[in-house]
Amino acid sequence: MKYISTRGGGAPVDFLEACLAGLAPDGGLFVPETYPKIAPPAPGETYVDTAARILGAFAGDSLGETDMLRLCTKAYEGFAHRLVAPLVEVGPGRWMMQLHEGPTLAFKDVAMQFIARLYDHALAARGETMTIVCATSGDTGGAAAAAFAGLERVRLVILHPHERISPVQRLFMTTTGAPNVTNLAVEGDFDACQAMVKQMFADREFADRVRLSGVNSINWARIAAQSVYYARAQAALGAGRALQFIVPSGNMGDALAGYVAARCGLLDGFELVCAVNDNRALAEALEAGRMRRSPAVATPSPAMDITVPSNLERVLFEASGRDSDLVSGLYGAFAQSGEVALPERVRGPLGCMGLSARSIDAARTHDEIRRSAAETGWLVCPHTAVGMAAARETAREGVTQVVLATAHAAKFPETIEAATGRHPNLPERCAARLDSGEVFERVPSDLPAVRDAVERASVI
Ligand SMILES: *Cc1c(COP(=O)(O)O)cnc(C)c1O
C-alpha cells in the first residue's frame, strides 16, 4: 500500500511516511496508488473494529494489526456515545449523524484522536520526536490540544488570533494543563497566524531543526479516519440502500472521506452534497467549473469560512484521470493569477463523480436553527444547520438523506440563543474540565517572536 503525490513528484511512500509528512514534498497531496477494496462492516462489528479494519487496509504493511487495534481502541474510548457516530432520525427519510461525541464536541475529534496516537506510536518506533504547529480559528486547535495532550513524542504549538475566537473554543485549547501543549495568542488575525505557519514550514533549516509537522485537513490519516463513519452509516441504515450524504464543508476533508469510502466499496451508490456558506469556492468549482480566489466572508459557521478548499486538489486529480501534470499546471496558474477555469476534460468527469454543492446564506442558516429546534427539538450548530438547510433543498422522494452534524450547538451559544432564545448547555463532561485554569502566552504578530516560541516549545 503506497501513496503518491497529486503533482507527480517524489517516489511512492508508505502510510506512515505520508501521514507524518502531511504535505507531499512537491507541494501536492498524498493519495493511495490504488484504492483498496474493503469489506463493509459485518453485523455486530463495533466502531473500533470497523475503524481498525479500514485504517488497517490503508496502512498496509506499515502497521501491525494488533497495534492498529490498540490505537483505535485508545482513540475512541473517550467518546461519550458507545457508537462513536450515532444516527438520529430527524424527519421522514432524513437522519443526522452525530459526529460531536468526542472530547471537544466537534467532528475533528474523530480523526485527531486517532492521528495523535498514530504519531506517538510511529515516532516511538523511530526514536524521534516532532513539533506540530497549527493555526486555528476554531475547532482544529481544540481537537488537536485534546488529542495530543500528554503524549510523549509530540510537542504541539497552537496559534490562535488573540481575542478573535469564541471563549468556548479558546477554553478547549488552553485548559489541557499538559506540558507538551503550547498556546500562542497572536496579536493579529487568523490569516496572519496561518501565514506565519506557512513561513515556518518554508524555512527548511528551521523546519528540520525543530522537526516541524502539520496535522491540517489534508493529512491522509485524517481522511482515512473519517471514511470510517460513512461505512458505519451505510451498514446501520441497510446495505443496498442508496444514501445521499449532506456534508457541511470548508476544506472538503470530511466530504472527500465519503468519496474515498465509496471508492473502497464501502458505500452502495454514492451521492454527496457539499453544503457551504457564503464562502462559495467549492460551489464555484463543482457547479461552475471555476477556481477563483476571493476574500473570506465572515458567517455564522466560521469553521467553513474557507476560500481555497485544500482537498479539492484530490478531487481534481481523480477527475482528470490522475493526470498530475494537469493538476500541477492548474495549481501553478491559480497561484499566479488567483483564477483558473477547469478544462472540459476535467469538468466532464467531475460532473459524474456524485459530488455537488449547495450554498446557504446567513439568514437561511439562522432560520434553519430555529426551524430544526421547532420541528425536531434538536438544537443544531450553525455548521450543521447549513447542512440541514441544504438537505431540505436536495430532498427527493425515496432517497434517504444523512446530514453530518459536525459540532455540538453548545460551542456556538451566541448564535443559537439569537436564533432560538434557548441556551445550549455544555455537556457536563466538558463543563468540569473547562473550569480549570487557562494557560496561553500572548505574542506579537511577528515571525521572529513566534518562531522563538516554537523553538522553546520544541525542546521541552
Ligand atoms: C472543520 C469543520 C467543518 C468543515 O470540514 P472540512 O473537512 O474542512 O470540510 C465543518 N463543520 C465544523 C464544525 C468544523 O469544525
Side-chain angles (χ1 to χ4, degrees):
M1 190 67 210
K2 295 282 186 196
Y3 292 82
I4 54 173
S5 167
T6 49
R7 302 205 188 165
V13 297
D14 73 7
F15 177 75
L16 288 181
E17 276 296 323
C19 297
L20 290 174
L23 203 63
D26 63 353
L29 310 191
F30 284 116
V31 287
E33 221 168 23
T34 54
Y35 288 98
K37 277 278 160 273
I38 308 175
E45 193 175 73
T46 65
Y47 189 95
V48 165
D49 287 338
T50 307
R53 225 164 35 71
I54 292 177
L55 288 161
F58 287 120
D61 296 336
S62 70
L63 208 69
E65 234 172 86
T66 325
D67 284 332
M68 185 58 93
L69 188 59
R70 184 174 47 81
L71 297 183
C72 291
T73 304
K74 282 265 165 232
Y76 300 114
E77 71 188 5
F79 278 60
H81 199 289
R82 129 193 102 74
L83 293 175
V84 180
L87 287 158
V88 294
E89 193 167 14
V90 289
R94 184 173 302 150
W95 298 77
M96 191 158 66
M97 185 156 57
Q98 310 281 47
L99 297 178
H100 46 70
E101 302 287 348
T104 72
L105 312 180
F107 93 94
K108 295 198 170 63
D109 287 326
V110 178
M112 211 66 92
Q113 286 289 324
F114 169 72
I115 202 173
R117 268 103 188 165
L118 181 74
Y119 264 58
D120 209 46
H121 173 83
L123 291 170
R126 299 168 172 214
E128 293 174 8
T129 61
M130 262 186 178
T131 307
I132 290 177
V133 177
C134 85
T136 187
S137 60
D139 295 324
T140 305
F148 284 97
L151 295 185
E152 297 229 326
R153 297 279 166 175
V154 184
R155 288 70 177 115
L156 174 69
V157 183
I158 306 168
L159 280 66
H160 75 264
H162 185 52
E163 291 181 339
R164 294 188 199 207
I165 63 171
S166 82
V168 181
Q169 292 194 310
R170 193 188 64 235
L171 283 165
F172 274 110
M173 304 183 232
T174 56
T175 56
T176 64
N180 68 326
V181 177
T182 302
N183 284 284
L184 303 179
V186 177
E187 291 161 345
D189 59 14
F190 170 68
D191 289 334
C193 296
Q194 195 158 42
M196 287 191 286
V197 169
K198 283 198 178 138
Q199 284 169 310
M200 286 188 280
F201 273 98
D203 181 345
R204 285 317 317 170
E205 189 276 322
F206 174 78
D208 289 345
R209 183 150 42 88
V210 303
R211 296 167 306 276
L212 215 54
S213 180
V215 289
N216 53 11
S217 61
I218 55 100
N219 194 297
W220 180 257
R222 285 182 61 175
I223 308 290
Q226 286 160 190
S227 70
V228 175
Y229 45 72
Y230 285 92
R232 298 286 299 179
Q234 179 76 66
L237 294 174
R241 190 199 299 206
L243 303 177
Q244 183 198 45
F245 290 96
I246 298 95
V247 186
S249 294
N251 273 316
M252 212 191 172
D254 202 1
L256 187 89
Y259 171 79
V260 169
R263 287 296 301 263
C264 296
L266 291 162
L267 301 179
D268 300 320
F270 181 64
E271 196 185 331
L272 187 150
V273 180
C274 296
V276 299
N277 58 29
D278 278 323
N279 296 283
R280 301 178 34 89
L282 210 44
E284 289 245 320
L286 295 178
E287 305 301 327
R290 189 166 55 216
M291 297 202 291
R292 186 162 53 188
R293 197 185 301 280
S294 51
V297 182
T299 72
S301 47
M304 291 154 49
D305 293 351
I306 302 291
T307 57
V308 183
S310 44
N311 281 289
L312 181 64
E313 180 164 343
R314 288 184 165 115
V315 173
L316 298 180
F317 179 69
E318 301 296 352
S320 71
R322 301 201 138 204
D323 184 339
S324 51
D325 289 340
L326 188 146
V327 171
S328 303
L330 280 178
Y331 278 89
F334 182 65
Q336 288 276 316
S337 66
E339 179 159 8
V340 55
L342 301 177
E344 195 43 49
R345 52 169 291 228
V346 173
R347 280 191 70 172
L350 186 61
C352 308
M353 288 170 76
L355 293 164
S356 62
R358 284 281 162 150
S359 167
I360 303 294
D361 67 18
R364 302 245 321 283
T365 306
H366 279 115
D367 213 50
E368 181 61 44
I369 295 172
R370 195 175 316 121
R371 197 165 161 191
S372 277
E375 285 179 8
T376 71
W378 287 97
L379 291 179
V380 296
C381 95
H383 308 78
T384 307
V386 168
M388 292 286 271
R392 285 186 207 277
E393 284 191 0
T394 55
R396 297 195 312 276
E397 191 68 31
V399 174
T400 303
Q401 297 185 302
V402 181
V403 181
L404 273 53
T406 50
H408 192 290
K411 288 191 100 169
F412 306 91
E414 299 83 4
T415 309
I416 305 303
E417 262 192 59
T420 65
R422 285 168 61 190
H423 180 78
N425 289 321
L426 273 173
E428 240 167 76
R429 64 195 162 97
C430 303
R433 205 198 78 201
L434 297 184
D435 266 346
S436 53
E438 284 192 80
V439 181
F440 62 87
E441 183 184 335
R442 206 164 138 177
V443 294
S445 182
D446 164 52
L447 185 60
V450 169
R451 203 159 43 185
D452 225 49
V454 171
E455 182 120 39
R456 272 182 280 121
S458 73
V459 293
I460 291 169

